[in-house]
Amino acid sequence: MTVPRTLSQSSLFIWLIAYTRHDALRPLVRALWTGDPQAIRTELEAFPAAPRFLSTTAGRRIAEATRLPDLLDQHPSDTALLARVGRLLVRMGCTRDTPTDLLAHHDALTLYESVVTRARLLPPTLDHHATLLSLALDLSSGPGMLLDWPPGRRTALLESLGRLLAEPQWASLADTDAGEADQRLRAGWIRRTGRQPFMRPATPGRLRVEIVAGDPVDREPVETRILLDERPLVPAVFARGPAHSPDHLLDDGRLRAGPEPREVQIAEAYCTEGCCGALYVTIRRAGDHVVWEDWRRPPTMPGSRELAPELPAYRFDAAAYDAEIARAESDRSWSWPARTTARLIKAGLMEWPELLSRWDARRGWLSSGFNDPDTTVVTFSYAPGLAAGKPDGIPLQFRWVIPDNGTSPEAQAAAALRRLAEEDPKTYGQVCGGNRERAEELGFPWPDGT
């Protein structure tokens, strides 16, 4: 038996055939084309739903083509199917991509209801815990908040997830310290983040700042989620990429309201500002208030030719605003050792810039590694004369990777700063940018394969 195909579904299949490039997704696309319900269900449960295989748009197209609510109703006890639907919801709401796909999916509310109310059917595993925690983070401060929820329903689903994940068989999963690297990463993330989406502020205000670190196995970003009147700002008015990291917005004090107005970039498109724009706001202090105004963003709404409406000015009580920003700046509960080490090294280099300038080097990007979050990455640029402001030619970029050795971040950062003071970092860093000719001219090997 095959499922009758509507004109809109035929269009979906054509889109999937045209834009699904990964071989791993081809069996699912073939099953959708034949319309065999059993094959669709089998391949839906089997295909990889990792970000490298699945964009937010592809996730939505698959959800629409497979008629997920019908499948869940027909197979209410199929836990593999339930887990896969949860993963698709997580992917559709990914802020690193285009979370408007979640908001555009007409069955999103139904799918949240189905996954959360049946979540007790899922065996307690790290993968399932990660999916449910990701959904909770979305419902508490992400794009999922923007769906057209009936009064009180989103809060009820969030509380249901909180009760489930607090039960011993689920909570104990965070105690995993052995096994594969991905398991250790997820367990550590659950320990740090597991209760965050279920904790409400003691004194709700117009402004709430939540630092959210996404699932490290999916390499989700760390973002500074800004909620205005309990609505997440960036997915509501920009939705072309995540809010900037706390390193950018909080560590450097960009959200503080000083005596002079300051324009701040809140978010940048995942494809860079030069391609799809960025979101800016001017922050100024006006007596007993802080004002956000003079917004700048792309002129049209994401994925549409519709003009974006003008954004209003927001006024905050200055004392409450300062307290919330100070609270967010001091919150380190989300961070892990390598990321903390990077922050401490950056702070040291800001206090003692001569540690690099003595080597004609200038500080670049510092954070944990993208492919290996348990490493600290220090980048810097170099050219003769750079410290004096007169570089002799185009600078080269260098990358120094520091593995987490198990000691405290404070000890690791202090050791890194001592090494920078005593040894030229060009002797242990690796060239990672510039060009081959310039590297050869300055006597440095160019990285293989580039």
Side-chain angles (χ1 to χ4, degrees):
M1 175 182 177
T2 60
V3 177
R5 185 181 304 139
T6 66
L7 179 61
S8 62
Q9 282 184 306
S10 295
S11 299
L12 284 173
F13 299 148
I14 292 170
W15 187 95
L16 287 167
I17 291 169
Y19 292 99
T20 303
R21 306 296 185 188
H22 294 286
D23 290 342
L25 297 181
R26 295 295 183 187
L28 174 60
V29 175
R30 284 195 295 269
L32 288 168
W33 186 252
T34 62
D36 180 349
Q38 183 55 48
I40 290 172
R41 178 184 167 200
T42 299
E43 297 301 340
L44 181 64
E45 294 175 0
F47 85 96
R52 66 181 181 274
F53 294 112
L54 199 64
S55 68
T56 58
T57 302
R60 175 166 68 92
R61 300 290 190 183
I62 288 172
E64 292 169 347
T66 52
R67 302 175 179 179
L68 290 182
D70 293 343
L71 274 178
L72 285 171
D73 287 344
Q74 292 161 11
H75 307 283
S77 301
D78 187 339
T79 56
L81 176 63
L82 182 64
R84 183 44 47 96
V85 175
R87 285 290 293 163
L88 283 172
L89 274 175
V90 171
R91 290 303 308 138
M92 282 189 276
C94 177
T95 56
R96 186 175 58 187
D97 206 337
T98 50
T100 48
D101 282 296
L102 175 69
L103 306 180
H105 183 44
H106 57 272
D107 287 326
L109 284 178
T110 302
L111 295 180
Y112 270 112
E113 283 279 352
S114 295
V115 172
V116 176
T117 57
R118 302 180 195 183
R120 288 187 175 278
L121 298 176
L122 294 172
T125 68
L126 279 173
D127 285 352
H128 293 158
H129 197 142
T131 295
L132 297 178
L133 179 54
S134 295
L135 292 177
L137 289 167
D138 183 43
L139 289 172
S140 68
S141 62
M145 294 186 76
L146 300 173
L147 293 167
D148 189 19
W149 292 99
R153 190 56 190 155
R154 178 184 63 84
T155 300
L157 292 179
L158 191 56
E159 291 174 350
S160 174
L161 284 173
R163 289 191 296 270
L164 175 65
L165 296 181
E167 292 179 1
Q169 66 268 34
W170 286 91
S172 63
L173 295 169
D175 298 332
T176 302
D177 283 320
E180 297 179 359
D182 282 354
Q183 290 181 311
R184 295 194 300 273
L185 284 174
R186 265 196 175 142
W189 172 63
I190 291 169
R191 284 196 297 271
R192 294 186 300 272
T193 310
R195 302 314 301 168
Q196 179 182 358
F198 312 113
M199 299 170 63
R200 305 268 50 85
T203 54
R206 291 209 71 189
L207 173 71
R208 177 158 63 97
V209 179
E210 290 283 342
I211 305 170
V212 174
D215 185 349
V217 173
D218 287 345
R219 304 300 187 259
E220 294 297 340
V222 178
E223 55 182 314
T224 310
R225 293 185 177 177
I226 298 168
L227 292 95
L228 300 180
D229 296 328
E230 285 302 301
R231 283 176 61 83
L233 170 69
V234 172
V237 306
F238 182 64
R240 289 173 166 89
H244 277 309
S245 71
D247 314 70
H248 179 85
L249 288 176
L250 297 173
D251 288 358
D252 293 339
R254 285 184 169 87
L255 294 184
R256 296 177 192 172
E260 298 295 328
R262 170 169 45 189
E263 186 176 65
V264 178
Q265 187 187 87
I266 300 293
E268 181 182 16
Y270 57 86
C271 51
T272 73
E273 180 178 1
C275 181
C276 288
L279 175 67
Y280 289 87
V281 69
T282 295
I283 301 175
R284 66 178 177 89
R285 188 175 291 272
D288 293 335
H289 291 87
V290 172
V291 182
W292 285 22
E293 61 187 358
D294 297 333
W295 300 86
R296 286 200 296 126
R297 61 173 172 166
T300 58
M301 297 299 288
S304 169
R305 295 181 181 179
E306 178 186 353
L307 290 177
E310 291 291 324
L311 294 175
Y314 286 85
R315 298 179 70 87
F316 309 96
D317 175 82
Y321 181 94
D322 292 342
E324 177 62 7
I325 297 304
R327 182 202 62 77
E329 288 180 348
S330 64
D331 178 17
R332 304 295 174 190
S333 60
W334 57 272
S335 189
W336 57 99
R339 185 87 175 211
T340 300
T341 299
R343 178 179 59 81
L344 294 172
I345 294 173
K346 179 181 176 181
L349 291 176
M350 292 176 68
E351 185 175 355
W352 303 297
E354 66 275 10
L355 294 180
L356 281 174
S357 63
R358 66 180 298 185
W359 310 111
D360 266 333
R362 180 179 298 158
R363 174 173 56 87
W365 172 84
L366 288 87
S367 190
S368 53
F370 179 78
N371 289 322
D372 186 354
D374 283 335
T375 60
T376 296
V377 178
V378 177
T379 67
F380 59 92
S381 54
Y382 160 75
L386 185 64
K390 298 178 180 179
D392 178 16
I394 299 172
L396 289 176
Q397 282 74 52
F398 285 76
R399 185 172 185 263
W400 175 28
V401 179
I402 307 171
D404 182 2
N405 63 13
T407 62
S408 72
E410 290 77 9
Q412 293 185 66
L417 293 169
R418 282 196 302 272
R419 189 174 188 187
L420 287 170
E422 298 168 359
E423 299 178 51
D424 186 342
K426 299 187 292 296
T427 62
Y428 47 88
Q430 304 294 317
V431 173
C432 64
N435 60 60
R436 182 185 294 273
E437 293 74 18
R438 180 63 167 161
E440 292 174 350
E441 175 189 343
L442 294 175
F444 296 100
W446 186 251
D448 293 337
T450 60

